[in-house]
C-alpha cells in the first residue's frame, strides 16, 4: 500500500499578524529584546532575520502585517461559464477556451486551470454541474433534531415499493403510506394501496396510527405534531380536518428535502434493503447485458401476500430490530421505557374525522339517498323519507357512506350502495320494513281499543255512567290536585318535624344550676298588706 502524502503545513498568516502586533507593542515600550525575537522565531520555526522582516513589513503598512501573496492564476467569469456549459468538465472547457482565444491572452497550463477551477467551485457545486440539484445535495450537511419524547412528533411519507406485484392480472408496484414516531422510531400506522396513493391512504394510515388495540398494536395515540412534505394528499382539507379535530399541528416541510424527515426516510431505506431486495420481482436487482433480468419468468407475489409480508416486516422492525441511535433498544423497548402519557382517541370518533365531507345536505327519498348518480339504502331509513342528512365518505370507497343529522352533526348511521348491497343487507332492509309495519299496526290497535266507550254496571235505575281508563301517572296527578289533599301524609316520618307537646305530657324538670333566673320586670306587682 503506497504511503500517504504528508499533510500540508497549516496557514499561520493570522497568527503571524498577532505575533508581529505584540512585538511592535514591545518595541514602542522599548522592551523588545533579541531573546523575545528568538522566542517568536523558534515558535514559527524560522530564522530571527525572518521575524525582523515581518516587523519591517508591518511598519511599512501602518502597523499591520501584510504578507505579499503568491501570484497565481485566477479564472475569469467567462472561463467559469465555459466549465458550466460543459457540465463541470474542466478539461473540455479548457480546450474550448484555447481554441476560441482571439485576444492573445496567455492561457495557463491545464493543471493550473484545474487548480483554479477547484478553488472557485466547491465539490458540491461541481457535482451539481454534473448531476443537477440532487447530486449537489449529497454534499450538504444537516443537523440532527432532538428526539424529545414519544408522540412529540411524527413523520409521514409515501414510498413506492421496489417490487412488482400481480394485482388482478396486472403488474404494478404498490405504494406504502406510514406514520413513524420520531422519538422511538416506532411505525405507528401504515396503509398499502395497489395504485398511486391519495388522501384515502392518508386517512386509513391516520386511523391505523391513532388507534391502540389488538388489531393496531400498542403504538399510537394523539401526537403533538406531524411533519409532512409538500404532497397535496397530506395538505388536503380532509386530512387537515382529521388532524385539526385532535389539535395536531401540521408542519409543512419543503418538498424534495429528505433530510427534513430523517426518521421516515430511514424506514424507507430499511424496508428496501431488508425486505424488498429479497422479494421476487425486485426492480433494482442485477441484470444481464442489455438490461435483461436474470430470471424473467419468476412468479410474482399477489397483493395479499405482499401486504402480509410488509405487516410481518413492520412487526419485526418494531419488536425485534435494535437501533444504535436508541442505545441498542428496539423501538418497542424505547416506547415502553418512555414515561410520557399517551392520549388515546375514542374509536367511535374516527369515523367522522377520517372521512371526506360532501358539501350540501341531501334528502332521503323512496329509493334512499341519491349521490353521484347512485342510490344508497339502509334499514334505519324507513319512516324518514323527506328528511335532510349530511354525507361523509371514504375516498375511492363509494360502496358505503356515513350520514349525519345536519342540525347537530350527530351520526345517524351508514348506508350502502343499492346496486352492491349484499343479501344480508337486503334481508335486514326488509325485516326493518316489516318491523315498522308491525309497530304501526300495534299502535293503531291500541288506539282503537282505547277509543271504545265503556259504562259502569248499575243496580238502580239511573242514566248510564261512562268509564274511562286513566293512566296511573294521570290519576296520581289529579288526586294531588283535589282539595284537602296533604302531601305530608305521604312523607316519611324522618322528613317531618315532630308535633308540639300536648298538655298531658310530662315535661322534664329544669336543673336549678342551669335554670335561667326570672326577669324582675315580668313579676306581678305585690299588693299592700292591710
Amino acid at each position: 500500500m503506497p504511503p500517504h502524502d504528508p499533510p500540508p503545513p497549516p496557514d499561520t498568516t493570522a497568527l503571524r499578524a498577532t505575533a508581529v502586533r505584540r512585538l511592535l507593542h514591545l518595541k514602542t515600550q522599548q522592551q523588545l529584546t533579541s531573546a523575545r525575537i528568538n522566542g517568536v522565531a523558534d515558535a514559527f520555526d524560522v530564522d530571527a532575520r525572518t521575524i525582523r522582516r515581518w516587523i519591517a513589513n508591518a511598519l511599512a503598512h501602518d502597523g499591520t502585517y501584510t504578507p505579499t501573496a503568491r501570484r497565481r492564476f485566477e479564472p475569469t467569469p467567462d472561463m467559469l461559464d465555459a466549465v458550466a456549459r460543459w457540465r463541470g468538465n474542466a478539461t473540455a472547457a479548457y480546450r474550448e477556451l484555447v481554441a476560441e482565444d482571439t485576444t492573445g491572452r496567455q492561457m495557463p497550463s491545464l493543471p493550473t486551470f484545474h487548480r483554479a477551477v477547484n478553488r472557485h467551485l466547491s465539490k458540491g457545486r461541481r457535482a451539481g454541474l454534473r448531476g443537477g440539484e440532487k447530486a449537489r445535495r449529497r454534499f450538504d450537511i444537516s443537523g440532527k433534531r432532538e428526539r424529545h419524547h414519544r408522540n412529540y412528533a411524527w413523520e409521514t411519507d409515501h414510498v413506492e415499493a421496489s417490487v412488482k406485484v400481480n394485482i388482478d392480472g396486472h403488474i404494478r408496484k404498490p405504494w406504502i403510506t406510514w406514520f413513524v414516531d420520531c422519538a422511538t422510531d416506532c411505525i405507528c400506522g401504515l396503509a398499502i394501496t395497489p395504485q398511486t396513493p391519495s388522501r384515502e391512504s392518508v386517512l386509513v394510515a391516520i386511523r391505523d396510527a391513532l388507534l391502540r388495540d389488538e388489531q393496531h398494536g400498542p403504538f399510537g395515540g394523539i401526537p403533538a405534531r406531524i411533519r409532512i412534505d409538500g404532497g397535496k394528499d397530506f395538505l388536503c382539507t380532509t386530512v387537515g380536518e382529521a388532524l385539526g379535530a385532535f389539535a395536531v399541528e401540521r408542519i409543512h416541510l419543503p418538498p424534495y428535502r429528505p433530510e427534513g424527515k430523517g426518521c421516515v426516510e430511514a424506514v424507507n431505506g430499511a424496508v428496501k434493503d431488508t425486505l424488498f431486495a429479497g422479494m421476487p420481482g425486485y426492480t433494482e436487482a442485477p441484470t444481464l447485458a442489455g438490461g435483461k433480468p436474470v430470471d424473467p419468468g419468476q412468479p410474482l407475489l399477489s397483493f395479499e401476500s405482499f401486504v402480509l409480508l410488509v405487516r410481518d416486516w413492520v412487526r419485526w422492525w418494531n419488536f425485534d430490530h435494535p437501533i444504535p441511535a436508541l442505545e441498542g433498544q428496539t423501538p418497542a423497548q424505547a416506547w415502553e421505557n418512555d414515561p410520557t402519557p399517551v392520549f388515546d382517541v375514542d374509536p367511535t370518533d374516527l369515523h367522522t374525522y377520517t372521512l371526506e365531507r360532501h358539501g350540501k345536505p341531501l334528502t332521503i327519498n323512496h329509493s334512499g339517498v341519491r349521490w353521484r348518480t347512485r342510490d344508497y339504502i339502509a334499514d334505519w331509513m324507513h319512516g324518514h323519507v323527506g328528511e335532510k342528512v349530511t354525507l361523509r365518505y371514504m375516498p375511492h370507497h363509494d360502496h358505503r357512506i356515513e350520514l349525519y343529522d345536519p342540525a347537530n352533526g350527530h351520526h345517524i348511521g351508514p348506508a350502502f350502495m343499492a346496486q352492491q348491497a349484499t343479501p344480508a343487507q337486503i334481508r335486514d332492509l326488509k325485516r326493518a320494513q316489516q318491523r315498522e309495519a308491525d309497530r304501526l299496526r300495534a299502535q293503531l290497535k291500541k288506539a282503537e281499543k282505547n277509543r271504545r266507550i265503556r259504562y259502569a254496571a248499575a243496580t238502580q235505575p239511573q242514566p248510564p255512567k261512562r268509564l274511562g281508563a286513566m293512566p296511573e301517572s294521570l290519576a296520581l296527578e289529579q288526586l294531588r290536585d283535589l282539595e284537602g289533599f296533604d302531601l305530608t301524609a305521604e312523607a316519611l316520618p324522618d322528613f317531618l318535624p315532630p308535633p308540639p307537646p300536648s298538655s298531658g305530657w310530662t315535661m322534664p324538670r329544669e336543673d336549678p344550676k342551669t335554670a335561667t333566673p326570672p326577669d324582675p320586670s315580668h313579676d306581678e306587682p305585690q299588693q299592700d298588706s292591710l
Side-chain angles (χ1 to χ4, degrees), residues 2 12 18 58 65 95 105 155-156 172 194 252 258 337 362 447 524:
T12 60
T18 302
Y65 173 66
R95 288 197 300 264
R105 61 184 175 184
E155 292 177 359
T156 180
R172 297 177 180 174
H252 300 171
N337 294 334
L362 303 176
E524 297 180 0

Side-chain angles (χ1 to χ4, degrees), residues 321-383:
H321 174 55
I323 298 178
L326 299 177
E327 298 180 353
Q329 300 180 99
T330 64
Q333 292 172 342
W335 180 277
E336 293 297 330
N337 294 334
D338 193 332
T340 305
V342 178
F343 295 91
D344 289 312
V345 60
D346 188 352
T348 58
D349 296 336
L350 287 181
H351 70 82
T352 298
Y353 298 110
T354 56
L355 298 177
E356 183 83 7
R357 182 177 59 186
H358 180 66
K360 59 182 180 179
L362 303 176
T363 305
I364 301 177
N365 52 47
H366 292 284
S367 58
V369 174
R370 189 73 173 176
W371 180 61
R372 290 184 176 176
T373 68
R374 297 185 180 94
D375 293 324
Y376 292 84
I377 57 176
D379 53 358
W380 57 265
M381 289 184 180
H382 294 297

Side-chain angles (χ1 to χ4, degrees), residues 93-167:
Y94 179 81
R95 288 197 300 264
E96 176 185 309
L97 292 171
V98 172
E100 295 181 355
D101 185 14
T102 59
T103 60
R105 61 184 175 184
Q106 184 67 30
M107 286 292 295
S109 62
L110 180 59
T112 302
F113 184 78
H114 271 279
R115 287 192 298 267
V117 170
N118 292 341
R119 284 195 306 267
H120 283 76
L121 300 178
S122 64
K123 281 189 174 182
R125 184 81 64 81
R126 298 196 300 270
L129 293 175
R130 290 189 296 267
E133 176 64 16
K134 185 176 181 180
R136 187 201 64 79
R137 288 181 180 177
R138 289 199 295 266
F139 294 87
D140 288 346
I141 61 172
S142 58
K144 291 185 178 180
R145 291 192 185 97
E146 184 180 355
R147 287 185 174 268
H148 296 282
H149 52 79
R150 63 182 181 183
N151 284 349
Y152 174 83
W154 287 1
E155 292 177 359
T156 180
D157 193 19
H158 297 307
V159 59
E160 185 182 23
S162 305
V163 177
K164 293 181 179 180
V165 176
N166 187 351
I167 302 176

Side-chain angles (χ1 to χ4, degrees), residues 336-520:
E336 293 297 330
N337 294 334
D338 193 332
T340 305
V342 178
F343 295 91
D344 289 312
V345 60
D346 188 352
T348 58
D349 296 336
L350 287 181
H351 70 82
T352 298
Y353 298 110
T354 56
L355 298 177
E356 183 83 7
R357 182 177 59 186
H358 180 66
K360 59 182 180 179
L362 303 176
T363 305
I364 301 177
N365 52 47
H366 292 284
S367 58
V369 174
R370 189 73 173 176
W371 180 61
R372 290 184 176 176
T373 68
R374 297 185 180 94
D375 293 324
Y376 292 84
I377 57 176
D379 53 358
W380 57 265
M381 289 184 180
H382 294 297
H384 296 278
V385 173
E387 297 182 4
K388 295 288 186 179
V389 292
T390 56
L391 183 148
R392 285 179 177 267
Y393 64 98
M394 177 69 74
H396 306 293
H397 286 268
D398 297 339
H399 65 284
R400 170 175 172 155
I401 59 175
E402 302 289 341
L403 300 176
Y404 302 82
D405 189 340
N408 51 30
H410 291 168
H411 181 241
I412 301 176
F416 302 91
M417 188 184 299
Q419 293 83 354
Q420 298 182 4
T422 62
Q425 293 170 351
I426 296 176
R427 185 169 55 252
D428 293 340
L429 184 68
K430 293 181 178 179
R431 288 177 178 176
Q433 185 179 14
Q434 186 63 38
R435 284 196 302 269
E436 285 292 321
D438 295 342
R439 190 179 296 113
L440 177 60
R441 183 169 56 254
Q443 190 173 7
L444 291 176
K445 285 184 177 181
K446 184 176 180 180
E448 291 296 330
K449 183 178 181 181
N450 294 334
R451 190 179 291 112
R452 296 176 184 175
I453 300 176
R454 296 184 180 184
Y455 299 93
T459 57
Q460 299 294 333
Q462 60 182 3
K465 186 178 182 179
R466 180 180 298 182
L467 294 179
M470 184 179 298
E472 181 182 359
S473 59
L474 183 60
L476 291 177
E477 184 178 354
Q478 292 187 5
L479 287 176
R480 290 190 181 97
D481 294 338
L482 293 177
E483 183 178 1
F485 185 80
D486 188 9
L487 290 176
T488 60
E490 295 183 355
L492 297 177
D494 294 341
F495 291 91
L496 294 176
S502 63
S503 60
W505 288 13
T506 302
M507 303 298 294
R509 294 182 179 181
E510 294 184 357
D511 190 353
K513 296 181 181 180
T514 60
T516 305
D519 190 352

Side-chain angles (χ1 to χ4, degrees), residues 133-412:
E133 176 64 16
K134 185 176 181 180
R136 187 201 64 79
R137 288 181 180 177
R138 289 199 295 266
F139 294 87
D140 288 346
I141 61 172
S142 58
K144 291 185 178 180
R145 291 192 185 97
E146 184 180 355
R147 287 185 174 268
H148 296 282
H149 52 79
R150 63 182 181 183
N151 284 349
Y152 174 83
W154 287 1
E155 292 177 359
T156 180
D157 193 19
H158 297 307
V159 59
E160 185 182 23
S162 305
V163 177
K164 293 181 179 180
V165 176
N166 187 351
I167 302 176
D168 293 336
H170 301 279
I171 308 302
R172 297 177 180 174
K173 292 192 292 185
W175 285 79
I176 305 176
T177 303
W178 36 33
F179 288 84
V180 180
D181 179 62
C182 299
T184 61
D185 286 340
C186 290
I187 300 177
C188 300
L190 77 158
I192 306 174
T193 55
Q195 68 278 338
T196 304
S198 61
R199 61 181 181 271
E200 170 208 2
S201 57
V202 178
L203 294 175
V204 173
I206 289 176
R207 179 191 295 267
D208 188 46
L210 293 178
L211 293 179
R212 298 201 308 153
D213 50 29
E214 295 180 358
Q215 289 77 23
H216 299 86
F219 318 113
I222 301 178
R225 55 191 56 81
I226 293 180
R227 301 188 185 105
I228 60 178
D229 57 13
K232 63 179 181 180
D233 304 326
F234 297 105
L235 301 177
C236 66
T237 304
T238 306
V239 175
E241 291 179 355
L243 299 178
F246 303 108
V248 179
E249 179 186 1
R250 283 192 302 180
I251 300 178
H252 300 171
L253 302 175
Y256 308 108
R257 289 283 185 178
E259 66 275 6
K261 41 187 177 62
C263 294
V264 70
E265 291 295 342
V267 174
N268 290 340
V271 71
K272 178 179 178 180
D273 296 336
T274 60
L275 179 65
F276 297 158
M279 287 183 172
Y282 181 53
T283 58
E284 299 184 13
T287 58
L288 299 177
K292 296 181 180 180
V294 178
D295 185 9
Q298 60 180 338
L300 301 178
L301 294 172
S302 64
F303 181 72
E304 293 78 6
S305 301
F306 176 81
V307 173
L308 180 61
L309 291 176
V310 172
R311 300 291 297 188
D312 291 340
W313 182 88
V314 171
R315 192 176 301 108
W316 168 82
W317 173 273
N318 285 336
F319 292 95
D320 301 328
H321 174 55
I323 298 178
L326 299 177
E327 298 180 353
Q329 300 180 99
T330 64
Q333 292 172 342
W335 180 277
E336 293 297 330
N337 294 334
D338 193 332
T340 305
V342 178
F343 295 91
D344 289 312
V345 60
D346 188 352
T348 58
D349 296 336
L350 287 181
H351 70 82
T352 298
Y353 298 110
T354 56
L355 298 177
E356 183 83 7
R357 182 177 59 186
H358 180 66
K360 59 182 180 179
L362 303 176
T363 305
I364 301 177
N365 52 47
H366 292 284
S367 58
V369 174
R370 189 73 173 176
W371 180 61
R372 290 184 176 176
T373 68
R374 297 185 180 94
D375 293 324
Y376 292 84
I377 57 176
D379 53 358
W380 57 265
M381 289 184 180
H382 294 297
H384 296 278
V385 173
E387 297 182 4
K388 295 288 186 179
V389 292
T390 56
L391 183 148
R392 285 179 177 267
Y393 64 98
M394 177 69 74
H396 306 293
H397 286 268
D398 297 339
H399 65 284
R400 170 175 172 155
I401 59 175
E402 302 289 341
L403 300 176
Y404 302 82
D405 189 340
N408 51 30
H410 291 168
H411 181 241
I412 301 176

Side-chain angles (χ1 to χ4, degrees), residues 17-28:
T18 302
V20 171
R21 189 162 52 250
R22 171 61 177 167
L23 294 176
L24 289 178
H25 175 72
L26 294 175
K27 183 178 180 62
T28 57

